[in-house]
């Protein structure tokens, strides 16, 4: 009886470790080549159900190249599939410009995506910045070597 239990336990452990290995993250990739976001799908097909939208510039965990133009990825704990043409191991591919708009003189670059966050600097109306990624209300950007967050309403993306 003990031997059967031991064999069953071993088999269960092997199944669990195999399932985990199938979803191991191998590398970090970034969302590129899109306007705002890409779709994480439940199957490796453009007809697969939508699990989430992943914003431009967002880092994801690369798991596997499925081979049909899709990568298996992990986005915030969700395992799914996204078109390979929109994912790159190079974050620089996400570089995209933006212009400061909709303000009187300048906008505030902040340390974190919150209006209560510490100010890094002011960015003047009309200034060009480098877009890094999008969140709910804020964009992460780079301006003159400083990286921080600005409210979306004050940037016009290229």
């Amino acid at each position: 009886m003990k031997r059967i239990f031991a064999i069953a336990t071993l088999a269960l452990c092997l199944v669990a470790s195999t399932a985990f290995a199938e979803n191991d993250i191998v590398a970090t990739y970034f969302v590129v080549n899109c306007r705002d976001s890409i779709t994480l799908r439940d199957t490796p097909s453009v007809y697969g159900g939508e699990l989430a939208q992943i914003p431009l510039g967002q880092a994801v965990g690369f798991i596997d190249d499925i081979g049909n133009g899709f990568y298996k990825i992990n986005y915030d704990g969700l395992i799914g599939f996204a078109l390979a043409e929109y994912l790159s191991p190079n974050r620089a591919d996400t570089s995209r410009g933006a212009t400061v708009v909709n303000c009187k003189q300048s906008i505030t670059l902040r340390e974190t995506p919150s209006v209560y966050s510490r100010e890094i600097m002011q960015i003047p109306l009309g200034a060009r910045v480098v877009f890094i990624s999008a969140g709910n209300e804020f964009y992460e950007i780079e301006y003159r070597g400083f990286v921080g967050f600005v409210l979306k309403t004050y940037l016009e993306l290229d």
Side-chain angles (χ1 to χ4, degrees):
M1 183 69 164
K2 287 182 183 179
R3 185 171 186 205
I4 292 172
F5 179 75
I7 291 171
T9 303
L10 178 62
L12 183 59
C13 289
L14 288 173
V15 168
S17 68
T18 302
F20 182 73
E22 289 176 7
N23 293 326
D24 281 352
I25 295 171
V26 192
T28 299
Y29 275 46
F30 300 92
V31 175
V32 298
N33 303 327
C34 68
R35 181 162 171 79
D36 295 312
S37 64
I38 64 170
T39 304
L40 180 66
R41 299 191 179 279
D42 60 0
T43 60
S45 164
V46 294
Y47 302 109
E50 180 179 317
L51 297 174
Q53 287 294 308
I54 310 171
L56 175 66
Q58 179 67 50
V60 299
F62 173 83
I63 297 171
D64 194 13
D65 181 347
I66 301 304
N68 66 343
F70 279 83
Y71 289 158
K72 184 176 186 181
I73 61 171
N74 179 322
Y75 171 60
D76 279 348
L78 290 172
I79 306 296
F81 304 89
L83 283 165
E85 67 187 273
Y86 297 115
L87 295 166
S88 170
N90 185 355
R91 184 177 188 125
D93 291 345
T94 65
S95 292
R96 180 172 159 189
T99 304
V100 174
V101 296
N102 302 327
C103 67
K104 289 184 180 180
Q105 293 182 336
S106 64
I107 62 172
T108 305
L109 181 65
R110 298 189 178 278
E111 284 186 341
T112 62
S114 166
V115 294
Y116 303 107
S117 177
R118 189 175 84 72
E119 178 181 319
I120 297 172
M121 68 188 330
Q122 289 292 306
I123 304 173
L125 174 64
R128 296 284 300 152
V129 300
V130 175
F131 171 85
I132 297 173
S133 68
N136 289 336
E137 297 176 48
F138 288 82
Y139 287 137
E140 183 179 13
I141 59 124
E142 184 266 328
Y143 178 69
R144 294 190 175 172
F146 292 90
V147 175
F149 299 87
V150 298
L151 284 166
K152 285 182 175 181
T153 57
Y154 297 117
L155 283 186
E156 184 177 285
L157 299 177
D158 294 344

